[in-house]
């Protein structure tokens, strides 16, 4: 039999003052510090990558909002155009301008004012701008003026430091003559797609995105929320309900191009709906977004405490009143969160919309849901495949517009979520 050790000659294994225990504590604290440093490093690296992406995108994209212009002196009075001011104020202004030979005269004036090769310094859309300026102010026929016309894509790139040596020489000559200026390209925000990068605008794609997202939200949100309410509150627990739940969970993970194939087969081939329209695009994206909204809505409804239901039933509320007067308002913040996620995913999708033909060249913004349309992601995809380098800045600028659109949509949804949020 071992005799007991004298008091104080050894320490128990759990004694915090023992050297072995102190060493283990130091190692544990060191591991915790390393873990914190790794987490901090991951956050710093993520923020660095995000900052690099945003800065590089802004550096390239902000140039897409600036347009290089050439100051063109024109003297319509000396041209003796067979045109009066009254004809420019009527519906036949375009025919009157064409009959007067205005584009030809403008080209001659540009060559004389800008030197040899002057017709190549101005964008092909510049002559349309010149005619628009004359229709906006018919009094220009009686005086000499200076009109700012958009420069060609080569001159625009050279003015931004990205052009060829020949274009940069022309830019230097124009600056020395005081013929070159720059301004905000409002036409980029107001125009539609064009083969000329100078005339290309984003409004047609932005309007198509707005119409498509409106259709998607109008279909996916009510159907998704009502489906979640039925599955969570009223559906019987049997094999059929389990099969539906598994199907919904699987649909949330299906690649988006499969929904494009489904929209092509059902909406276009079977129902013969208008191809490349915001209506078909919104219906296709609604199919893709609905499972996400259903899953998020079910989780939000399930998170409402059962005591809320019991208390409502105890004071005489019917099951429908319990759901729509108590459970649904309390679950609305979580439902809106799922809607934000689903709509953000739908806003950035390209593959399903390519399958239903929304990659067409759209020169006119859509006015109705059945008009041919395109969306911002598809427009960015199309511009990124252009050979002309002038489309690079347009692509980056369109990405900035898409990010602003996404942030605005999420900001509205977050506001609504906080507005309906109730704490208990």
């Amino acid at each position: 039999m071992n005799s007991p050790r004298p008091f104080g000659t050894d320490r128990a294994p759990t004694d915090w003052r023992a050297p072995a225990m102190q060493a283990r504590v130091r190692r544990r604290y060191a591991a915790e510090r390393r873990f914190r440093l790794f987490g901090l490093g991951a956050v710093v690296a993520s923020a660095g990558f995000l900052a690099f992406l945003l800065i590089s995108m802004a550096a390239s994209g902000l140039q897409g909002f600036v347009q290089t212009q050439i100051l063109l002196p024109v003297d319509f009075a000396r041209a003796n155009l067979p045109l009066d001011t009254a004809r420019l104020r009527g519906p036949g202004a375009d025919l009157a301008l064409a009959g007067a030979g205005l584009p030809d005269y403008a080209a001659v004036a540009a060559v004389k004012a800008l030197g040899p090769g002057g017709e190549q310094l101005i964008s092909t859309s510049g002559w349309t701008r010149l005619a628009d300026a004359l229709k906006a102010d018919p009094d220009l026929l009686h005086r000499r003026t200076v009109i700012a016309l958009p420069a060609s894509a080569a001159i625009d790139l050279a003015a931004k430091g990205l052009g060829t040596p020949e274009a940069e020489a022309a830019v230097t000559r124009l600056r020395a003559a005081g013929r070159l200026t720059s301004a905000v390209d409002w036409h980029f925000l107001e125009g539609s797609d064009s083969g000329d990068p100078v005339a290309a605008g984003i409004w047609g794609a932005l309007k198509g995105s707005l119409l498509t997202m409106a259709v998607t939200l109008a279909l996916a949100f009510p159907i998704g929320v009502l489906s979640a309410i039925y599955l969570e509150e009223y559906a019987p627990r049997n094999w059929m309900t389990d099969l539906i739940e598994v199907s919904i969970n699987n649909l949330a993970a299906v690649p988006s191009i499969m929904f494009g194939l489904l929209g092509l087969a059902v909406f276009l081939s079977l129902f013969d709906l208008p191809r490349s329209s915001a209506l078909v695009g919104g219906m296709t994206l609604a199919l893709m977004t609905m499972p996400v909204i259903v899953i998020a809505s079910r989780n939000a409804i399930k998170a409402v405490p059962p005591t809320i239901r019991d208390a409502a039933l105890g004071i005489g509320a019917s099951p429908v009143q319990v759901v729509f007067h108590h459970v649904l308002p309390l679950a609305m913040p979580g439902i809106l969160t799922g809607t934000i996620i689903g709509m953000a995913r739908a806003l950035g999708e390209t593959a399903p919309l390519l399958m239903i033909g929304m990659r067409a060249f759209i020169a006119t913004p859509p006015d109705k849901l059945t008009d041919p349309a395109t969306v911002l992601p598809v427009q960015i995809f199309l511009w990124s495949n252009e050979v002309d380098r002038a489309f690079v800045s347009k692509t980056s600028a369109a990405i900035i517009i898409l990010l602003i659109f996404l942030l605005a949509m999420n900001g509205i949804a977050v506001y609504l979520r906080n507005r309906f949020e109730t704490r208990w």
Side-chain angles (χ1 to χ4, degrees), residues 121-337:
L121 303 180
I122 298 178
S123 170
T124 54
S125 63
W127 314 123
T128 305
R129 306 274 184 95
L130 183 60
D132 292 340
L134 187 56
K135 287 188 292 183
D137 186 9
D139 294 334
L140 293 177
L141 285 173
H142 309 296
R143 68 176 188 269
R144 185 179 185 274
T145 186
V146 176
I147 299 180
L149 298 181
S152 64
I155 298 299
D156 184 62
L157 285 175
K160 297 173 181 177
L162 303 173
T164 61
E166 295 80 4
E168 291 179 355
V171 167
T172 303
R173 176 167 56 84
L174 290 172
R175 282 177 175 165
R179 299 295 185 192
L180 204 65
T181 185
S182 59
V184 177
D185 187 8
W186 295 108
H187 182 75
F188 176 74
L189 301 175
E190 300 171 353
S192 296
D193 196 9
S194 173
D196 182 9
V198 177
I202 203 66
W203 172 238
L206 180 59
K207 190 174 182 181
S209 294
L210 289 172
L211 294 176
T212 303
M213 289 298 102
V215 174
T216 301
L217 183 63
L219 293 176
F221 182 74
I223 297 177
V225 173
L226 291 176
S227 300
I229 291 174
Y230 174 77
L231 291 174
E232 196 62 34
E233 298 290 335
Y234 300 106
R237 300 305 173 187
N238 51 32
W239 66 271
M240 183 64 71
T241 305
D242 295 338
L243 180 61
I244 294 175
E245 292 178 356
V246 171
S247 301
I248 293 175
N249 293 331
N250 289 335
L251 285 175
V254 169
S256 60
I257 195 171
M258 301 301 296
F259 292 99
L261 293 173
L262 180 62
L264 176 63
V266 177
F267 301 136
L268 296 183
S269 300
L270 183 60
F271 294 108
D272 196 22
L273 294 177
R275 188 178 182 87
S276 185
S277 63
L279 177 63
V280 177
M283 294 171 68
T284 303
L285 294 180
L287 294 176
M288 184 190 69
T289 307
M290 207 177 303
V292 179
I293 297 179
V294 171
I295 293 174
S297 300
R298 290 194 63 190
N299 292 332
I301 293 172
K302 191 181 299 183
V304 176
T307 53
I308 300 293
R309 298 176 176 83
D310 297 338
L313 291 172
I315 60 175
S318 66
V320 174
Q321 290 175 330
V322 170
V323 171
F324 287 95
H325 293 179
H326 302 279
V327 175
L328 189 58
L330 293 177
M332 189 56 66
I335 294 174
L336 291 178
T337 300

Side-chain angles (χ1 to χ4, degrees), residues 20-90:
M21 182 62 72
Q22 291 294 324
R24 287 196 294 270
V25 170
R26 285 193 296 269
R27 288 195 299 270
R28 189 179 305 167
Y29 287 163
E32 183 177 354
R33 286 194 297 270
R34 287 194 300 271
F35 180 76
R36 290 182 178 180
L37 290 176
F38 288 151
L40 179 61
V43 172
V44 171
S46 301
F49 284 125
L50 179 60
F52 174 77
L53 175 64
L54 294 179
I55 292 174
S56 60
M57 194 64 62
S60 177
L62 291 179
Q63 294 182 353
F65 296 99
V66 178
Q67 183 183 77
T68 304
Q69 297 179 343
I70 295 179
L71 300 177
L72 177 66
V74 225
D75 192 352
F76 293 105
R78 295 182 58 187
N80 296 322
L81 295 177
L83 190 65
D84 57 8
T85 304
R87 294 183 64 188
L88 288 179
R89 302 185 187 278

Side-chain angles (χ1 to χ4, degrees), residues 221 297 331-341 413 415-418 420:
F221 182 74
S297 300
M332 189 56 66
I335 294 174
L336 291 178
T337 300
T339 304
I340 294 172
I341 297 173
Y415 169 77
L416 294 176
R417 182 184 64 187
N418 295 335
F420 288 108

Side-chain angles (χ1 to χ4, degrees), residues 90-132:
D94 293 333
L95 295 177
L97 289 172
L102 176 61
D104 297 333
Y105 170 72
V108 173
V111 171
K112 291 182 178 180
L114 302 176
E119 69 277 2
Q120 300 178 0
L121 303 180
I122 298 178
S123 170
T124 54
S125 63
W127 314 123
T128 305
R129 306 274 184 95
L130 183 60
D132 292 340

